[in-house]
């Protein structure tokens, strides 16, 4: 059986994929007093029958996340799990459901989910860069020891996000920050062990649509929640 190595989580290149037309949002990039501290929380629910769950909290001021925490359990144990805050002005800004399962195979792929949650806006890495450029920084994403993640990070800046703006253009850091303050950011944690063999393999789900050399188990979304 082929399995995915750590580099297989290059899957998380979702940030460079655009989204199709969906719900339109205010494009002014302003939301009152931007110096006000705003806290948003998400209940992370299972996707793709992962059986996982969790909670995420972000505290935002200006163009920065002062504090972020992601707690989750029931994930594929002792495996890397890429995690991001997604946003797109043309996305639905919600977690994907049956309507996004375009081929009606009962499985939501990363690409199928993008019209719902949008491109990657923030890479929730453990160290270093947190911009969409770090969607491939697999060694800096948390491993789920015994299936659990307890992630904390402070002073995470927002950045410009290609594909997240009006007409699929670039959204500025300020626009992304304002969108999260409005409750339009979506937290997604990736990686689903469909066959329960303890690793990301090709036995179920086949190859990832992002890279056919990678298993879909490594790329598919496991849990998701809207930051309200």
């Amino acid at each position: 059986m082929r399995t995915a190595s750590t580099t297989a989580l290059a899957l998380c290149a979702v940030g460079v994929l655009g989204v199709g037309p969906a719900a339109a949002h205010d494009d002014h990039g302003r939301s009152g007093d931007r110096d006000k501290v705003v806290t948003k929380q998400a209940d992370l629910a299972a996707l793709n029958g992962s059986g996982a769950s969790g909670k995420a909290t972000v505290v935002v001021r200006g163009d920065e996340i002062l504090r972020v925490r992601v707690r989750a359990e029931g994930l594929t144990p002792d495996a890397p799990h890429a995690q991001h805050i997604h946003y797109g002005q043309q996305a639905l800004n919600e977690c994907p459901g049956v309507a996004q399962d375009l081929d009606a195979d009962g499985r939501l792929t990363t690409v199928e989910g993008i019209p719902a949650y949008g491109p990657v806006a923030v890479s929730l890495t453990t160290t270093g860069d947190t911009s969409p450029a770090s969607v491939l920084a697999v060694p800096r994403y948390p491993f789920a020891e015994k299936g659990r993640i307890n992630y904390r990070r402070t002073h995470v800046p927002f950045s410009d996000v290609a594909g997240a703006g009006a007409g699929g253009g670039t959204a500025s850091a300020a626009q992304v920050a304002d969108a999260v303050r409005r409750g339009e950011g979506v937290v997604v944690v990736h990686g689903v062990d469909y066959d329960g063999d303890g690793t990301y393999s090709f036995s179920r789900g086949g190859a990832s649509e992002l890279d056919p050399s990678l298993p879909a188990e490594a790329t598919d979304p496991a849990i998701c929640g809207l930051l309200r």
Side-chain angles (χ1 to χ4, degrees), residues 158-197:
F158 289 102
S159 57
D160 296 351
V161 179
T170 298
S172 70
Q175 288 173 321
V176 175
D178 287 340
V180 173
R181 268 190 288 272
R182 288 195 300 268
E184 297 175 359
V186 180
V187 174
V188 182
V189 180
H190 300 263
V192 183
D193 180 17
Y194 290 117
D195 60 9
D197 66 356

Side-chain angles (χ1 to χ4, degrees), residues 110-138:
T110 298
V111 169
E112 285 177 326
I114 288 174
Y117 44 63
V120 168
V122 181
S123 298
L124 297 177
T125 56
T126 55
T127 61
D129 176 67
T130 55
S131 76
S134 283
V135 293
L136 305 181
V138 177

Side-chain angles (χ1 to χ4, degrees), residues 66-215:
L66 297 178
R67 297 183 299 278
V68 55
R69 185 177 187 186
V70 178
R71 292 170 291 169
E73 59 183 12
L75 294 165
T76 301
D78 306 314
H81 289 271
Q83 52 180 17
H84 312 96
I85 298 174
H86 292 249
Y87 167 71
Q89 192 177 84
Q90 292 184 275
L92 297 172
N93 302 125
E94 62 185 30
C95 293
V98 174
Q100 281 74 47
D101 183 13
L102 298 180
D103 58 5
D105 65 351
R107 180 174 66 90
L108 287 164
T109 68
T110 298
V111 169
E112 285 177 326
I114 288 174
Y117 44 63
V120 168
V122 181
S123 298
L124 297 177
T125 56
T126 55
T127 61
D129 176 67
T130 55
S131 76
S134 283
V135 293
L136 305 181
V138 177
R140 294 191 286 114
Y141 284 112
F143 278 66
E145 184 176 355
K146 297 182 179 179
R148 296 180 179 178
I149 286 174
N150 188 0
Y151 168 86
R152 299 173 187 260
R153 193 142 184 205
T154 59
H155 301 293
V156 176
F158 289 102
S159 57
D160 296 351
V161 179
T170 298
S172 70
Q175 288 173 321
V176 175
D178 287 340
V180 173
R181 268 190 288 272
R182 288 195 300 268
E184 297 175 359
V186 180
V187 174
V188 182
V189 180
H190 300 263
V192 183
D193 180 17
Y194 290 117
D195 60 9
D197 66 356
T199 189
Y200 298 142
S201 64
F202 290 81
S203 62
R204 288 186 61 186
S208 169
E209 81 278 39
L210 299 180
D211 183 337
S213 71
L214 306 177

